Amino acid sequence: MSERISLSIENGVADVRLVRVDKMNALDDAMFEALIATGERLATEKGVRAVVLSGEGRAFCAGLDMGNFGKMAAPKDGAKKEEAGMLGRLEKRTHGIVNRAQQAVWVWRQLPVPVIAAVHGVAYGGGFQVMLGADMRYVAPDTKLSIMEIKWGLVPDMAGTQIMRHLVREDIVRELTYTGRVFTGEEAGRIGFATRVTATPREDALATAREIASKSPDAIRASKRLLNAAVVVDPAAGLLMESVEQDKLIGSKNQIESVMSNLEKRAANYID
């Protein structure tokens, strides 16, 4: 795919790997572009039914590349920032409701198929937020994680604040955000950031992705649409959406195939 990300697709499972091994997959401009381009390509790639997102080498993602911090040590007062053209940069919406940095995370949440992040080594700052964009997170027990932005005098700004609040108790999110404390994969499992704590996150994530890929792609995509909407719509809208999605599925070719393959005790042959 690029010098930052490798992509292979087999039997409906897209295997996406961050491959900037020498920098522990840190986020530089090229990595941001690669994450966005890969996610947007998979959104329209025919035959993709599930995605596994992982990092090669010693880490999932070490966060923002250190070189990017130098760019921030520019004018400190508002007037000089405005003169330097720095004010309002992040406010510009470049990809629908998000900016470019947020899209590197949000693209995985908006992907029409499930995404599993397989996390090992470290996931700090922006790397932690990339992990959050997945539907599920399989994390090695000794992984080190941190909402590290406070260390640099910043806030989590890659969609993290919008996703964390649906995963973990509010007071825990606040404690970790205010302190930047490093915590382990084991703790991530206890508090809710990790879906599964496992010594083999990538292998287990691929196994789950293959299982998902064996189910009706229509029902999986409909389920993701419903679950994405459930955290933002009111109950009336959500209940109606359930009914609309179900009406579309009942009697469709893939729904009938689900029934027949189970009754006949055979593998299903779904149409993408």
Side-chain angles (χ1 to χ4, degrees), residues 67-190:
N68 287 50
F69 287 108
K71 300 175 184 177
M72 299 177 192
K76 294 180 174 58
D77 64 76
K80 289 184 178 179
K81 282 188 175 182
E82 187 172 8
E83 186 179 328
M86 295 175 67
L87 285 178
R89 290 179 307 168
L90 298 178
E91 296 169 18
K92 296 174 182 175
R93 305 294 89 181
T94 58
H95 297 75
I97 65 171
V98 298
N99 65 23
R100 175 174 171 270
Q102 291 166 336
Q103 179 69 351
V105 174
W106 203 248
V107 69
W108 307 105
R109 191 169 182 84
Q110 294 302 108
L111 211 63
V113 299
V115 180
I116 309 171
V119 185
H120 76 289
V122 301
Y124 288 159
F128 181 79
Q129 292 180 85
V130 170
M131 174 192 88
L132 294 178
D135 296 69
M136 295 160 278
R137 289 151 293 281
Y138 288 13
V139 183
D142 59 351
T143 303
K144 294 180 179 179
L145 307 104
S146 174
I147 307 169
M148 193 169 274
E149 284 77 10
I150 195 66
K151 177 178 179 180
W152 309 106
L154 300 170
V155 298
D157 70 333
M158 291 170 58
T161 59
Q162 287 300 302
I163 301 173
M164 289 189 290
R165 64 195 180 99
H166 299 298
L167 300 176
V168 176
R169 260 175 35 197
E170 181 190 357
D171 58 326
I172 295 175
V173 171
R174 288 172 181 266
E175 185 242 330
L176 294 173
T177 302
Y178 298 159
T179 65
R181 176 172 67 82
V182 175
F183 58 102
T184 66
E186 288 282 9
E187 183 176 352
R190 290 196 302 272

Side-chain angles (χ1 to χ4, degrees), residues 52-54 116-121 137-143 196-208:
V52 172
L53 179 63
S54 65
I116 309 171
V119 185
H120 76 289
R137 289 151 293 281
Y138 288 13
V139 183
D142 59 351
T143 303
R196 186 185 300 183
V197 179
T198 169
T200 54
R202 182 167 179 268
E203 290 82 352
D204 290 355
L206 285 167
T208 298

Side-chain angles (χ1 to χ4, degrees), residues 29-74:
D29 287 344
M31 183 66 84
F32 276 110
E33 287 299 326
L35 284 166
I36 294 168
T38 304
E40 291 179 349
R41 170 186 166 181
L42 290 175
T44 59
E45 187 82 16
K46 189 173 177 60
V48 171
R49 298 181 180 181
V51 177
V52 172
L53 179 63
S54 65
E56 284 192 4
R58 295 179 294 143
F60 175 73
C61 178
L64 194 64
D65 188 281
M66 292 301 294
N68 287 50
F69 287 108
K71 300 175 184 177
M72 299 177 192

